[in-house]
Amino acid sequence: MQDKVLILDFGSQFTQLIARRVRELNIYSEIHPYNSKKFNVADFKAVILSGSPHSVRSESAPQPDLSEIKGKLPLLGVCYGAQYLAHFFGGEVGSSNTREYGRANLSFVAPSETLFEGISEGSQVWMSHSDTILSLPSNYKKIASTHDVENAAFRIEGEETYAIQFHPEVYHSTDGAQLLENFLVKIAKLKQEWTPDCFVDTTVNSLKEKIGNDKVVLGLSGGVDSTVAAILLDKAIGKNLHCIFVNNGLLRKNEFSSVLKQYEGMGLNVKGVDASARFLSELKGESDPEKKRKIIGRVFIEVFDDESKLIKNVKFLAQGTIYPDVIESVSVTGGPSATIKSHHNVGGLPDFMKLKIVEPLRMIFKDEVRRVGKSMGIDAELLGRHPFPGPGLAIRILGDITEEKVRILQEVDAIFINGLRKWNLYDDVWQAGAMLLPVNSVGVMGDERTYEKCVALRAVESVDGMTADWVDLPYKFLQETSNKIINNVKGVNRVVYDISSKPPATIEWE
Ligand code: XMP
């Protein structure tokens, strides 16, 4: 069993970053709301207290029960966590006179502290707090200050309890990773054994144990998460994993056949179901984006249900759910609020939804999914694929959908995406695609006047799709792509490039 770190969350926007930084040290970490009853302290070797939008001085301040933690396990308080350790144990926290946001530089009071090994005097740290620690309890020892923050770091003598006012988890804290490593490895003595290979071994074993000889059904989408989940399950239960890959007729050009082949090449027990005609017929005449999404969602469930009924005695439904989808969040207005969605209403559920759920990736982040995929030998091209929306080209064809429009957009999209690959731009872009606009415009080809479709190309950079900016693609590339599209795709005589950021625009046009 690997060593684990408990991260008690008080609602900070940076809590997930703490977990990621810890895992980058090859140490497993879990986030739990500060007042959750769903974890057992005895399972953990060290604890980190997160920041919080709350003030320790407000009535609604989160007050964790640390009786099983403080003085018993190595403990690191970050920002609110540090203020909590000061304020509720005899120190004083008040509002600060100067702004304490952004860059600051460490000045060591106790430079020989293990917490600071390998970190130089003046190291840049990132602050984000409005309260400040005015005085420390008597058995506490100040170990670093900054220009504006007297008690920027301190420890409790006789305990392995440390606290820092700044955020080591953000990249702007230059030696943040070193500080976390010092705390976790040198002070708390945790082993750095949580590697992708180790994740694969433990996950495969626990899947074997959970599933036994039962059958599992899983919907493959061509995306990274469902693929990695499938390969893990395949390692655990082999042919008892039944994958279903549905063609909704709205995938990229040739994607259904090429991805299906790739899946078969990986040895997966996969069935490709071409339901394009059914999807396109149900979508006929519909132009409202939300209604299009609903139709696609409903038809997918019907198709998946029909297919899973054909597999006898299935007990489990596997999903590619990842950690950000399941972390319970602490609400800023009060106690922890569960954000976990529930599909369970009595009756009326498709048969496959009545199955037991298995989610091999539910404790790992997206970048970790990719690393796990890599360690299992999944093709780098598949792991590096841009995100693609579930409703596919349906939300990139503005207005109603016809087979002809799908064909036109698939051609345009293929020229654009292949061009990005050819120009080595694909990996610099987070997501790219083409939109078919519901307007015709006048053009001239040879001596003839044309009146044809306009397409918009979109390429964005982003981290999580929540915000995004358009990519400054080279003019030469845009020129070549536009020429290729207009010369090769019948029905298109105009190409534009979308230069809107999100917000205020969105990535997709519908
Ligand atoms: P927007 O357009 O909201 O897109 O800026 C953000 C990210 O979400 C994807 N997206 C969807 N994915 N079903 C999906 O599975 C949808 O209905 C959907 N709408 C948008 C989009 O491609 C981008 O990655």
Side-chain angles (χ1 to χ4, degrees), residues 289-290 293 386-392 395-396 430-431 458 460 462 464-468 502 505-510:
E290 286 316 302
R293 281 187 168 84
H386 292 167
F388 188 68
I395 55 170
R396 294 184 179 169
W430 189 79
Q431 187 173 19
R458 183 121 169 92
V460 295
S462 176
D464 50 14
M466 304 296 284
T467 56
K502 172 184 181 177
T506 49
I507 295 175
E508 304 296 346
W509 279 41
E510 280 198 336

Side-chain angles (χ1 to χ4, degrees), residues 471-482:
V471 179
D472 190 3
L473 293 175
Y475 279 179
K476 283 279 174 211
F477 167 76
L478 289 171
Q479 185 185 45
E480 183 182 296
T481 307
S482 163

Side-chain angles (χ1 to χ4, degrees), residues 207 210-211 215-217 233 304 314-321 326 341-344 349-362:
L207 287 171
K210 177 170 179 167
I211 299 166
K215 288 186 191 164
V216 177
V217 62
L233 281 153
F304 195 81
V314 181
K315 292 274 163 47
F316 290 90
L317 169 70
Q319 295 181 331
T321 316
V326 295
K341 293 164 214 130
S342 170
H343 308 286
H344 302 282
L349 282 176
D351 280 355
F352 73 83
M353 277 200 172
K354 295 175 193 151
L355 301 173
K356 287 190 263 182
I357 303 287
V358 52
E359 297 172 318
L361 310 175
R362 66 178 277 120

Side-chain angles (χ1 to χ4, degrees), residues 432-495:
M435 323 290 156
L436 186 66
L437 307 189
V439 289
N440 281 25
S441 75
V442 173
V444 54
M445 281 191 190
D447 289 333
E448 276 184 44
R449 179 183 175 281
T450 58
Y451 189 56
E452 293 179 335
K453 291 265 172 280
C454 172
V455 291
L457 306 182
R458 183 121 169 92
V460 295
E461 48 194 24
S462 176
V463 175
D464 50 14
M466 304 296 284
T467 56
D469 206 357
W470 60 279
V471 179
D472 190 3
L473 293 175
Y475 279 179
K476 283 279 174 211
F477 167 76
L478 289 171
Q479 185 185 45
E480 183 182 296
T481 307
S482 163
N483 281 346
K484 254 196 193 157
I485 291 171
I486 294 174
N487 289 337
N488 292 291
V489 186
K490 206 162 162 274
V492 175
N493 68 355
R494 194 174 294 268
V495 176

